[in-house]
């Protein structure tokens, strides 16, 4: 059972998310709160598997909540999916830099919401397809790093590079497998190997690395 916390300052949004999630046999809503401070308190108390966070909330915004619960340096980070009306580049960039496992627009639809929650729970990540490539290009432009910093500890194989490039274009594991004629388990194995080599925590960081280092040029 995937235990989910919902944080949004609009009661109707929280009720809508709860209604969608509670139709699923494998998902349980353990709390819904209306502000960022309550989100941090409840998340630390209940340790949900996934936190759904709006960005604009009173007390503490969703980006700060994300950093507090999942950011660099957090000893036991929680899984966070940011769900918002706003797809501004700086929001997306900040959310992912602060440790979010996903970034969705509120109009993405129930299917994508459920997919993002399940992806986060298994340690994967999902970003709304309409903003994936744009945000990663933005990430690369605003977060340049010296090649030495981004150099992997061990060189990537040719197949790993193919998988990374496909992931950086926003393809899901299933789509990568179909395009490269690989099984789903093989795709996951390649991504796990790449994450270990470059020190990435999830596929979003892998994709961001690909754009930032010029692999996608």
């Amino acid at each position: 059972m995937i235990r989910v916390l919902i944080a949004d300052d609009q009661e109707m949004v929280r009720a809508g998310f709860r209604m969608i999630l509670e139709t699923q046999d494998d998902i349980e809503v353990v709390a819904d709160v209306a502000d960022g401070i309550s989100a941090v308190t409840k998340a630390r108390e209940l340790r949900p598997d996934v936190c759904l966070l709006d960005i604009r909330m009173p007390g503490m915004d969703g980006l700060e909540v994300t950093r507090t619960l999942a950011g660099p340096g957090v000893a036991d980070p929680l899984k966070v999916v940011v769900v918002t009306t706003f797809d501004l580049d700086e929001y997306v960039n900040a959310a992912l830099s602060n440790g979010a496992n996903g970034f969705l627009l509120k109009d993405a639809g129930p299917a994508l919401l459920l997919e993002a929650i399940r992806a986060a729970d298994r340690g994967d990540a999902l970003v709304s397809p309409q903003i994936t490539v744009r945000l990663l290009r933005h990430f690369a432009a605003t977060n340049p790093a010296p090649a030495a910093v981004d150099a992997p500890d061990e060189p990537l194989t040719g197949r790993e590079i193919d998988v990374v490039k496909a992931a950086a274009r926003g393809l899901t594991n299933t789509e990568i497998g179909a395009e490269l004629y690989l099984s789903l388990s093989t795709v996951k194995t390649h991504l796990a190997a790449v994450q270990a080599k470059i020190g990435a925590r999830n596929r979003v960081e892998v994709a961001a690395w690909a754009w930032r280092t010029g692999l996608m040029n």
Side-chain angles (χ1 to χ4, degrees):
M1 185 68 71
I2 303 172
R3 302 167 65 252
V4 177
L5 177 145
I6 301 168
D8 194 293
D9 62 343
Q10 298 183 51
E11 184 175 356
M12 289 186 64
V13 171
R14 298 198 308 274
F17 284 167
R18 180 182 280 274
M19 183 174 64
I20 292 169
L21 302 186
E22 290 185 340
T23 63
Q24 305 299 302
D25 294 335
D26 62 334
I27 296 176
E28 174 190 6
V29 177
V30 295
D32 65 73
V33 298
D35 64 85
I37 295 174
S38 297
V40 171
T41 301
K42 278 294 185 183
R44 286 175 169 169
E45 173 190 343
L46 299 173
R47 300 293 302 178
D49 299 306
V50 179
C51 300
L52 288 183
L53 305 179
D54 187 22
I55 286 182
R56 296 187 177 180
M57 294 187 292
M60 182 186 291
D61 69 35
L63 299 177
E64 181 63 16
V65 174
T66 300
R67 187 192 66 77
T68 301
L69 297 177
V74 176
D76 192 10
L78 292 171
K79 309 291 180 56
V80 170
V81 175
V82 173
V83 188
T84 181
T85 306
F86 310 97
D87 68 339
L88 300 178
D89 285 335
E90 56 265 34
Y91 285 167
V92 181
N93 189 22
L96 299 180
S97 297
N98 286 354
N101 289 74
F103 190 101
L104 294 182
L105 300 182
K106 287 182 179 176
D107 62 1
L112 203 59
L113 176 66
L114 296 170
E115 185 178 350
I117 289 171
R118 293 183 175 117
D121 179 60
R122 62 176 180 263
D124 210 336
L126 187 148
V127 178
S128 287
Q130 63 265 48
I131 60 176
T132 297
V133 172
R134 193 195 78 225
L135 80 88
L136 289 171
R137 285 174 175 163
H138 175 80
F139 191 99
T142 57
N143 292 270
V149 173
D150 275 317
D153 295 334
E154 180 184 346
L156 272 61
T157 67
R159 208 42 155 172
E160 288 169 352
I161 291 174
D162 291 340
V163 170
V164 168
K165 287 182 174 180
R169 287 169 27 226
L171 272 63
T172 65
N173 287 352
T174 300
E175 290 169 339
I176 294 172
E179 181 173 289
L180 299 178
Y181 303 101
L182 300 172
S183 69
L184 186 59
S185 62
T186 300
V187 173
K188 291 179 179 179
T189 297
H190 283 316
L191 283 173
V194 171
Q195 287 177 210
K197 288 181 179 181
I198 68 174
R201 293 180 297 175
N202 53 54
R203 70 183 295 119
V204 174
E205 290 187 1
V206 169
W209 174 85
W211 285 98
R212 190 172 62 248
T213 57
L215 190 64
M216 301 305 292
N217 295 338

